[in-house]
């Protein structure tokens, strides 16, 4: 089991928004995590990588507890979050955005080649500023930037947000291809239908 979450609680100030969540993700799976607006999905993902420290419960990666680890440790451990709303750097070029994703990876130039091979649209636009990409291209850039860290587990926060239906299909097809290459995916969505088409299992 790559990821195991047991009775996780997290929140902000006096407000608890993750109320004792337990779930697991096995190697090679695409697992959906579905919930309405404000259900706490983003907060849960943040607490998995240490951006929002859990108040209770356990997060195990490869059976090892991650409690108290800073977010950068999560990245070097192969667990990489693609945040909601893409959060690319709008004033940096596509190439610079990608290289930042591989910051701790000594082979980042090699990895850059691999990522650009996967996303020809990004290769063509390497020198373009991130903020001038279309919504779908920005989502591909956010995915590509995460791949620069050579992740084992991708945590995707609403990758379909704000995309036209055709682009959603494109992004989901890409997620499936990444799984076929050996990646494991925890896919958070408000939208129910599309993730269920590619997920092996889902939690609500
Ligand atoms: P959405 O699908 O709309 O993105 P979500 O399921 O991802 O929602 P969260 O973003 O985790 O939900 O938010 C859960 C609750 O926590 C919401 O009520 C939100 O207002 C609150 N919340 C989120 N971030 C903070 C913060 N930094 N400080 C205080 N409250 C917060």
């Amino acid at each position: 089991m790559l990821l195991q979450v047991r009775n996780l609680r997290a929140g902000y100030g006096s407000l608890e928004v993750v109320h004792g969540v337990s779930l697991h993700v096995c190697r090679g799976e695409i697992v959906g995590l579905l919930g309405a607006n404000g259900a706490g999905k983003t907060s849960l993902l943040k607490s998995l990588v240490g951006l929002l420290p859990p108040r209770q419960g356990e997060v195990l990666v490869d059976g090892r507890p991650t409690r108290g680890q800073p977010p950068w440790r999560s990245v070097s451990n192969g667990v990489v979050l693609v945040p909601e709303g893409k959060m690319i750097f709008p004033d940096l070029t596509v190439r610079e955005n990608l290289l930042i994703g591989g910051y701790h990876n000594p082979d980042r130039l090699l990895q850059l080649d691999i990522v650009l091979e996967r996303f020809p649209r990004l290769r063509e636009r390497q020198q373009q500023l991130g903020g001038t990409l279309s919504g779908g291209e920005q989502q591909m850039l956010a995915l590509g930037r995460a791949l620069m860290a050579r992740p084992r587990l991708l945590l995707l926060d609403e990758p379909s947000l704000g995309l036209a239906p055709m682009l959603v299909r494109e992004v989901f097809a890409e997620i499936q291809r990444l799984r076929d290459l050996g990646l494991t995916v925890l896919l958070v969505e408000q939208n129910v239908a599309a993730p269920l088409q590619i997920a092996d299992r889902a939690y609500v």
Side-chain angles (χ1 to χ4, degrees):
M1 209 173 293
L2 188 45
L3 174 73
Q4 193 164 14
V5 180
R6 293 191 195 134
N7 193 31
L8 191 76
R9 292 180 184 272
Y12 308 91
S14 58
L15 182 71
E16 183 184 271
V17 297
V18 178
H19 311 286
V21 169
S22 298
L23 57 82
H24 68 271
V25 183
C26 296
R27 243 171 233 99
E29 276 188 315
I30 297 177
V31 173
L33 179 60
L34 313 175
N37 220 303
K41 305 177 298 296
T42 298
S43 303
L44 173 62
L45 289 187
K46 283 185 177 167
S47 63
L48 295 183
V49 298
L51 284 169
L52 176 66
R55 293 178 173 176
Q56 226 186 73
E58 268 194 316
V59 178
L60 304 154
V61 175
D62 280 330
R64 280 188 294 274
T66 64
R67 203 181 174 101
Q69 280 182 4
W72 60 265
R73 174 91 64 200
S74 167
V75 176
S76 50
N77 201 15
V79 179
V80 175
L81 172 67
V82 180
E84 187 176 9
K86 296 99 178 168
M87 301 273 248
I88 57 148
F89 300 102
D91 299 326
L92 298 184
T93 64
V94 166
R95 184 185 165 89
E96 288 165 341
N97 266 280
L98 290 171
L99 286 173
I100 283 181
Y103 184 72
H104 76 290
N105 177 359
D107 297 325
R108 59 183 166 275
L109 287 177
L110 192 70
Q111 190 66 13
L112 180 66
D113 264 346
I114 295 172
V115 170
L116 291 175
E117 195 65 37
R118 281 209 75 71
F119 300 106
R121 286 260 274 286
L122 297 182
R123 186 189 284 285
E124 288 164 15
R125 289 158 204 274
Q126 274 187 78
Q127 301 309 329
Q128 193 173 326
L129 293 183
T132 65
L133 295 177
S134 73
E137 288 164 355
Q138 288 190 22
Q139 187 58 56
M140 291 302 178
L141 178 57
L143 265 181
R145 184 181 57 184
L147 295 182
M148 287 295 296
R150 300 212 294 161
R152 295 180 291 155
L153 173 61
L154 272 182
L155 308 175
L156 303 180
D157 197 355
E158 299 208 34
S160 74
L161 194 73
L163 297 185
M166 205 180 79
L167 286 176
V168 172
R169 277 195 294 278
E170 226 178 272
V171 167
F172 278 51
E174 186 55 40
I175 295 169
Q176 257 180 322
R177 282 194 288 274
L178 291 173
R179 189 270 300 278
D180 295 342
L181 284 178
L183 257 97
T184 304
V185 177
L186 180 60
L187 172 61
V188 161
E189 281 286 347
Q190 265 187 51
N191 165 356
V192 175
L196 288 181
Q197 283 176 13
I198 63 166
D200 298 295
R201 296 185 294 117
Y203 293 90
V204 177

